[in-house]
Amino acid sequence: MSCPAFVGTGTLLREGECVWGRITGTNTRYFSTPDDGGYHQNALSYQTGLQTEFAPDWFFGLTGAYTRAIQSDPDRITGTTSDAGDVSAALKHQVGPWLFAASANVGYAWADNKRLIDFAGARATARSRSEILSAGGRLRASYQVLFGDWYIKPYADLDLLYSYSPAYSESGAGDFNLDVRPLAKTLVAFSPNVEIGGRIDLEGGRWIRPYGTLGMMVLSDDHFTGRASFQGTGALGRFATDSSIPDRLGEAGLGLQISLGNGVEVTGEYQAQVGDQFVAQSGTARLQLRF
């Protein structure tokens, strides 16, 4: 939800008015451990948005996104195909090299799940449909330090994340079907980062902005506890399962923004997150038009 561009002939980045669209592909792997089976997920997201300046140095942004993801465990025992949509709004204020921003988003995801069962010679597939409601908010502050044809921009994000999955039931596997209880989770995340970039001038007022980012994310918790029971067994078949996520992630990225003239800009970006038994990589292609 941003429209940064160089001011004049310098390297100060300023927010602006634009419409934009981008496509992001993500590959995520959580490697199995003795306590957790791990998973592998591929996702493709389509996002579009706009940003306008409603008062001097005050900006409002609005975006919408759709994501399709396919997830499985290493042994292909379980699999999930999910679709998700979300909308976000942002408010920003720029004061010279300072930028302050606040954003909020709500999302809804629906998934088709399958679980293969092979027990004592009995083979079956349990199927279910689950949903996730999510909401979040982010505060960001950044400051840009200029050095001729390059810059350093330290920034920090504070996120509040909430998700809720209603109860659902499996079918197709008889006594092995599960009734899954509702699950709610709230997390707080803090992310200090730094961006280093530069400016390469081309003919006709066009330019190229190569940049890189480096930082980390710290989460307030690293466990999810789900509760379920086998159908027909009541309290006797009730059990809890723990899933873990890394609570500390290293983050790094590389990007290239190119001004093509007449307000048209394209951006390519690579991002990676690395944690304990966890690797996520994403690539983004973005087109924006300034007005």
Side-chain angles (χ1 to χ4, degrees):
M1 291 191 294
S2 190
C3 299
F6 291 124
V7 176
T9 59
T11 54
L12 178 65
L13 291 168
R14 187 182 186 277
E15 292 295 325
E17 296 183 303
C18 74
V19 293
W20 57 269
R22 72 179 184 183
I23 299 175
T24 301
T26 303
N27 177 275
T28 303
R29 289 182 179 271
Y30 185 54
F31 298 96
S32 60
T33 68
D35 300 320
D36 204 314
Y39 64 86
H40 176 207
Q41 177 178 281
N42 289 314
L44 191 62
S45 299
Y46 305 88
Q47 188 173 19
T48 186
L50 62 86
Q51 180 169 282
T52 185
E53 186 174 11
F54 64 90
D57 298 322
W58 285 90
F59 302 88
F60 175 76
L62 187 65
T63 72
Y66 164 77
T67 300
R68 160 61 68 97
I70 299 176
Q71 178 176 309
S72 63
D73 66 17
D75 298 321
R76 306 288 181 178
I77 295 174
T78 61
T80 298
T81 300
S82 64
D83 299 272
D86 66 79
V87 294
S88 304
L91 180 65
K92 305 175 186 179
H93 181 46
Q94 187 150 21
V95 184
W98 285 98
L99 178 66
F100 303 96
S103 64
N105 75 284
V106 292
Y108 169 71
W110 60 102
D112 293 316
N113 315 296
K114 68 176 182 178
R115 186 171 58 90
L116 303 182
I117 299 165
D118 188 350
F119 180 74
R123 296 178 62 89
T125 300
R127 300 183 181 275
S128 62
R129 184 176 177 87
S130 59
E131 302 169 301
I132 297 178
L133 307 175
S134 61
R138 167 175 288 184
L139 298 175
R140 169 175 287 190
S142 69
Y143 182 82
Q144 195 174 351
V145 184
L146 309 180
F147 299 95
D149 59 356
W150 65 286
Y151 67 88
I152 297 177
K153 184 176 72 173
Y155 62 96
D157 295 333
L158 181 64
D159 292 275
L160 179 64
L161 311 168
Y162 172 80
S163 64
Y164 172 74
S165 177
Y168 64 92
S169 297
E170 293 180 329
S171 62
D175 292 339
F176 294 104
N177 288 327
L178 294 176
D179 289 327
V180 180
R181 303 297 189 268
L183 174 63
K185 189 70 174 181
T186 300
L187 292 172
V188 177
F190 176 65
S191 305
N193 295 270
V194 63
E195 176 182 310
I196 301 175
R199 174 171 179 161
I200 301 172
D201 287 310
L202 305 175
E203 294 180 355
R206 297 172 297 154
W207 43 261
I208 298 175
R209 177 173 73 101
Y211 61 92
T213 59
L214 186 66
M216 66 178 299
M217 176 185 290
V218 180
L219 294 169
S220 59
D221 195 4
D222 64 352
H223 278 81
F224 290 80
T225 300
R227 291 176 170 80
S229 61
F230 290 103
Q231 293 176 8
T233 60
L236 294 177
R238 188 173 301 174
F239 59 91
T241 59
D242 269 345
S243 297
S244 62
I245 58 173
D247 59 357
R248 290 176 176 83
L249 293 170
E251 301 181 316
L254 292 172
L256 191 68
Q257 181 182 2
I258 304 174
S259 169
L260 301 178
N262 299 318
V264 179
E265 297 165 11
V266 294
T267 302
E269 189 173 80
Y270 167 82
Q271 291 283 334
Q273 292 182 313
V274 179
D276 185 21
Q277 306 294 323
F278 178 89
V279 177
Q281 302 178 83
S282 64
T284 299
R286 168 173 164 145
L287 173 67
Q288 70 182 30
L289 176 63
R290 295 185 175 276
F291 55 86

